[in-house]
Amino acid sequence: MSTHAQPTATPNGRKPVTLHSLRAQHARGEKVTMLTAYDATFARLADEAGLDTLLVGDSLGMLLQGHSSTIPVALEEMVYHTRCTARGLQGGAAWLVADLPFGSYQQGVAQAMASATALMQAGAQMVKLEGGGWTAEVVRFLVDRGVPVCAHLGLTPQSVHALGGYRVQGRDAQGAAVLRRHAKELADAGAAMLVLELMPSSVAAAVQTDNPGMITIGIGAGPDTAGQVLVLHDMLGVTRGKLPRFVRNFMDEGGSIEDALRRYVAAVKEGTFPDPVAHAYAAA
Ligand code: KIV
């Protein structure tokens, strides 16, 4: 096989998702679906259900490891789960994003590149990092060196202690302006994708309008983003404790896990999830 050969179709008939195809999908107004996955079995199920992208989220620190935040997650642990998830996608189509965990990119561009290298060599096709401002320099450095980057603004869980808890961000005019400025800087630095977490729908919509080419992926950010992400355990209804209002349990309608995954994909694509009121937040 030539080094430039691309698989044309997967066993389940889908073409492999690429950054190019994701941009084209966004340009024609088709919603982008994302779900977290941490292992081979769920990666395969999600891929078969038609998910466009999977995220090996550092939320695994809470869901798989039992920590109370994402902060204790180590890079080696993210590498391990990325490797497992990527194996589940062999012969599949979904695009794989992996989180750079807390402490693996904050020291500067060299550390970020080394950490991104570890995730890409484990099978990630894109890395995700949290925050605005100083991160633009890191994003530019990675993108210039061939690493596709997904940024993450709003409620950034690695900063939970600095933010004073899991609170809606950008509710007042000043906070909204900061989020919009950071999003613009990240877009200018070359981030191709941007997770917008826990913010008023109007702010997420403005970020998308400000940066039309950016593939914004909302979670608790209303219906006007280019795509949506949920945490696997939340949408399967197996997370214990009080869940944020933006979560919908796709197992509620019965059926199998496979049915729930397909319902999630369909609801995002059709625009019936998230609900603009029940799953969303308003500005102050
Ligand atoms: O770690 C994670 O699961 C995430 C999603 C909530 C976007 O970052």
Side-chain angles (χ1 to χ4, degrees):
M1 188 161 111
S2 140
T3 52
H4 293 73
Q6 297 257 16
T8 48
T10 63
N12 68 9
R14 287 208 293 155
K15 278 197 177 155
V17 176
T18 63
L19 191 49
H20 185 79
S21 72
L22 286 168
R23 284 187 166 129
Q25 183 176 329
H26 171 48
R28 64 176 182 267
E30 186 192 333
K31 293 281 183 186
V32 174
T33 52
M34 179 184 272
L35 188 64
T36 64
Y38 316 101
D39 65 34
T41 299
F42 277 98
R44 198 165 297 130
L45 291 183
D47 186 60
E48 286 169 4
L51 263 294
D52 296 313
T53 66
L54 296 183
L55 168 67
V56 185
D58 59 359
S59 49
L60 66 83
M62 286 130 118
L63 298 161
L64 306 192
Q65 300 176 330
H67 294 299
S68 58
S69 78
T70 59
I71 293 169
V73 177
L75 178 63
E76 304 74 65
E77 292 162 347
M78 291 305 299
V79 167
Y80 171 78
H81 286 282
T82 300
R83 207 174 274 137
C84 296
T85 308
R87 264 186 225 122
L89 289 180
Q90 275 168 12
W95 171 259
L96 188 60
V97 187
D99 265 338
L100 285 164
F102 181 69
S104 73
Y105 55 100
Q106 284 82 352
Q107 287 176 36
V109 293
Q111 187 206 22
M113 187 66 208
S115 302
T117 301
L119 292 177
M120 300 286 283
Q121 290 182 341
Q125 292 162 301
M126 175 178 248
V127 300
K128 178 163 83 59
L129 51 78
E130 296 185 5
W134 65 274
T135 55
E137 184 195 351
V138 175
V139 170
R140 191 181 303 281
F141 190 90
L142 296 179
V143 171
D144 283 351
R145 283 155 185 79
V147 181
V149 176
C150 176
H152 184 156
L153 291 176
L155 187 280
T156 45
Q158 293 173 12
S159 306
V160 60
H161 300 310
L163 295 174
Y166 296 97
R167 302 158 174 275
V168 181
Q169 302 296 305
R171 265 202 142 140
D172 60 13
Q174 198 187 348
V178 171
L179 286 176
R180 287 177 71 173
R181 176 165 50 81
H182 284 168
K184 191 103 201 73
E185 289 166 359
L186 290 162
D188 290 346
M193 206 179 264
L194 173 61
V195 167
L196 297 174
E197 179 164 357
L198 212 55
M199 64 181 64
S201 308
S202 56
V203 178
V207 166
Q208 184 63 81
T209 306
D210 293 344
N211 307 283
M214 178 71 92
I215 304 167
T216 60
I217 306 285
I219 175 164
D224 298 321
T225 49
Q228 295 291 328
V229 59
L230 277 180
V231 168
L232 174 71
H233 295 55
D234 294 352
M235 60 81 73
L236 292 180
V238 295
T239 309
R240 291 295 171 259
K242 189 173 179 300
L243 292 181
R245 62 186 284 173
F246 62 76
V247 172
R248 175 169 148 195
N249 178 353
F250 283 83
M251 289 294 284
D252 264 355
E253 292 163 50
S256 62
I257 288 173
E258 288 90 326
D259 289 336
L261 295 172
R262 279 192 290 265
R263 278 198 290 268
Y264 170 61
V265 171
V268 173
K269 296 272 181 202
E270 287 160 5
T272 53
F273 176 79
D275 182 271
V277 178
H279 300 127
Y281 303 89

